[in-house]
Amino acid sequence: MTVADPVSASANSDYTDNVYSGKQDHRAQVCAILEQENAIPRHLIETEVAWFYDVLGLDDMYFMLESPTAVAGHITSLYGAQLSSVGQDNLVNVTFQSRHESGAVFIHNSVPGVSKTDGLHFEQ
């Protein structure tokens, strides 16, 4: 997986970072849900959650709006995508791009400007 460097908010931008005071409690609930689901090995849960919360670059508004159950599902899906590509000839290359000027995060498995009709068709 590739994580693109985030674009810093410009000094001239009206964008302000959202701060979610309940984020740590939200994170703890997500960890508890993932432990109960048992889809991700226990020794990897904290690493996967830390990457999702701290490295991916999602705005706190995402965590304010999404339930812990939904976030746990998103983390499990990303982990599953990693596993599904191991040992296959058709590796799924997922790219994460974060642009903090507008608060956007793009998660995709395509090359911009290139249309392909062959492949795994996960989106269908």
Side-chain angles (χ1 to χ4, degrees):
M1 281 198 236
T2 306
V3 179
D5 290 329
V7 176
S8 299
S10 120
N12 299 329
S13 172
D14 290 334
Y15 180 78
T16 57
D17 288 328
N18 294 299
V19 178
Y20 179 29
S21 62
K23 189 173 181 180
Q24 291 307 315
D25 182 52
H26 192 275
R27 181 180 182 151
Q29 290 177 50
V30 168
C31 287
I33 291 166
L34 291 172
E35 286 179 13
Q36 288 176 348
E37 289 178 347
N38 208 24
I40 299 174
R42 287 186 187 271
H43 70 280
L44 295 177
I45 290 174
E46 186 54 43
T47 302
E48 294 296 319
V49 171
W51 178 82
F52 195 84
Y53 274 75
D54 302 331
V55 178
L56 187 53
L58 295 171
D59 189 271
D60 276 9
M61 183 62 70
Y62 166 82
F63 299 104
M64 288 181 212
L65 297 175
E66 295 291 344
S67 70
T69 302
V71 173
H74 296 158
I75 293 171
T76 301
S77 295
L78 288 170
Y79 182 77
Q82 292 174 49
L83 289 180
S84 73
S85 68
V86 172
Q88 291 185 9
D89 291 335
N90 291 332
L91 292 178
V92 177
N93 185 17
V94 179
T95 301
F96 299 90
Q97 295 176 319
S98 175
R99 303 205 192 260
H100 288 272
E101 285 182 44
S102 62
V105 173
F106 303 98
I107 303 172
H108 59 87
N109 67 343
S110 61
V111 178
V114 177
S115 295
K116 291 186 174 183
T117 57
D118 60 334
L120 300 173
H121 300 286
F122 285 117
E123 71 280 2
Q124 293 178 351

